[in-house]
Amino acid sequence: MLWETFQMERMQSTWENRVDYNLSESGVHPLSLREFLSENQIRELESLELGYPQSNGTEELRRNIARRYPNAGPDNILVTSGGSEANFLSVCRLVERGDQISMILPNYMQMWGLGRSLQAQVNPLWMRRDSSGWRLDLDLLRKLPATTRALIVCNPNNPTGATLNEEEMNAIVEAAERAQAYLICDEIYCGAEHDADSHSRTPSFWGRYPKVIITNGLSKAYGLPGLRIGWIATTVELAEQLWSYHDYTTISMSMLSERIAAIVLSANVEPKILERTRKIIRDN
């Protein structure tokens, strides 16, 4: 199989670490460990044995991730190498040659290229810009083909920063239900909204539809892309199936990244990191 070249990532991967000023960075300025770890936690990391962690994610990390999804537990979560692997596994599990998938655009084009590489028909669902900002074209959504295998959403949206309102979220769920399609929701910018206060975040699609797959990670709103920690939240059954696909890709994350991520997503550390992110966004 030939993979379609991901043009944007090829450009960024080639140049982003060679330039003096990177104007295309898609997250806030990254954190250093000393900005959020205590001296005791740093000493703990110095003595951490660097063996293989649980390959679907350590129990502590999956439990901390599951806290954000009502009625979810660790078995609903699969830890991945960033949000990009979460997206990759989801599309590779669901999409086959000849399938139809629909994707809201503008968007991060990874899943677009994956779908085309898997020889699926990828249909655009365009957002339109008006006086109130970027809004989803609900007329296009109502015409979603009945044979659609997966409907792909990014909320908050990359690259526009727009967040879907309740009417749009309900219309997306209704369209997925009509087609009995899977709903893949990339929510990696949740927590980095332009106008959110320190205690609110964009509502998740979690719990709105049985066939939903949420992808997320620490690269954007948390300012920790170098940890390469992402995750999938879905049904226990599908999480286990995706775990078996994960056996063919990265197998597991690093023990060091998993331990740091568990601290980041703990109840007393996460709010401080997200407030830092929002302050940067407000100031800039």
Side-chain angles (χ1 to χ4, degrees):
M1 177 185 295
L2 291 177
W3 294 100
E4 184 172 298
T5 300
F6 195 167
Q7 297 287 358
M8 188 196 75
E9 285 297 337
R10 280 293 80 236
M11 181 273 290
Q12 285 192 308
S13 298
T14 301
W15 296 107
E16 65 182 339
N17 291 306
R18 299 183 183 183
V19 296
D20 293 327
Y21 302 100
N22 180 3
L23 303 182
S24 65
E25 174 55 52
S26 56
V28 296
H29 192 78
L31 280 156
S32 67
L33 294 181
R34 289 199 175 274
E35 289 181 82
F36 64 92
L37 293 180
S38 68
E39 289 298 328
N40 286 339
Q41 288 167 331
I42 290 174
R43 281 195 294 271
E44 175 200 337
L45 292 177
E46 288 174 345
S47 61
L48 182 67
E49 291 187 351
L50 301 180
Y52 288 111
Q54 174 75 14
S55 65
N56 63 335
T58 62
E59 180 80 15
E60 180 184 11
L61 177 54
R62 287 184 291 120
R63 187 169 60 247
N64 285 352
I65 293 169
R67 284 190 303 108
R68 73 193 55 240
Y69 304 113
N71 301 314
D75 291 342
N76 292 101
I77 307 300
L78 173 65
V79 177
T80 62
S81 179
S84 57
E85 190 193 11
N87 293 336
F88 180 91
L89 295 174
S90 300
V91 172
C92 287
R93 163 62 183 81
L94 299 180
V95 177
E96 298 180 359
R97 177 187 295 183
D99 282 347
Q100 288 200 64
I101 61 177
S102 293
M103 183 170 175
I104 291 178
L105 298 179
N107 210 321
Y108 181 62
M109 298 300 282
Q110 178 197 11
M111 288 189 274
W112 179 277
L114 283 172
R116 287 162 54 102
S117 296
L118 292 167
Q119 299 182 48
Q121 179 180 329
V122 188
N123 303 311
L125 292 170
W126 285 99
M127 300 180 76
R128 308 292 184 190
R129 189 172 186 178
D130 61 24
S131 58
S132 64
W134 288 88
R135 299 268 56 98
L136 182 59
D137 189 329
L138 299 184
D139 289 333
L140 281 178
L141 195 61
R142 294 185 186 103
K143 298 173 185 176
L144 188 77
T147 53
T148 299
R149 174 67 171 164
L151 174 55
I152 299 169
V153 179
C154 183
N155 189 45
N157 181 259
N158 178 4
T160 69
T163 56
L164 297 167
N165 60 35
E166 280 294 311
E167 180 186 13
E168 291 165 330
M169 294 181 77
N170 290 337
I172 287 167
V173 170
E174 289 167 7
E177 285 178 333
R178 286 195 301 271
Q180 284 299 292
Y182 283 91
L183 182 54
I184 304 175
C185 306
D186 180 345
E187 297 180 352
I188 201 162
Y189 280 95
C190 187
E193 300 84 353
H194 290 167
D195 55 357
D197 61 38
S198 59
H199 302 293
S200 66
R201 68 176 79 201
T202 301
S204 173
F205 275 93
W206 176 262
R208 294 172 181 258
Y209 180 56
K211 297 173 70 173
V212 70
I213 299 172
I214 306 296
T215 66
N216 206 328
L218 298 183
S219 296
K220 307 304 180 188
Y222 295 86
L224 292 165
L227 287 184
R228 304 311 304 136
I229 291 290
W231 63 82
I232 292 167
T234 188
T235 63
V236 172
E237 178 185 19
L238 189 51
E240 182 141 348
Q241 293 174 13
L242 291 165
W243 184 9
S244 72
Y245 279 56
H246 185 53
D247 293 339
Y248 281 100
T249 53
T250 57
I251 301 178
S252 72
M253 303 308 96
S254 78
M255 180 65 81
L256 188 59
S257 288
E258 292 238 353
R259 180 67 197 117
I260 295 170
I263 296 170
V264 167
L265 293 171
S266 63
N268 61 327
V269 175
E270 181 183 22
K272 298 174 185 177
I273 290 179
L274 291 179
E275 178 52 35
R276 170 195 181 263
T277 294
R278 284 162 171 162
K279 183 179 186 307
I280 291 172
I281 291 170
R282 288 192 299 266
D283 290 349
N284 288 350

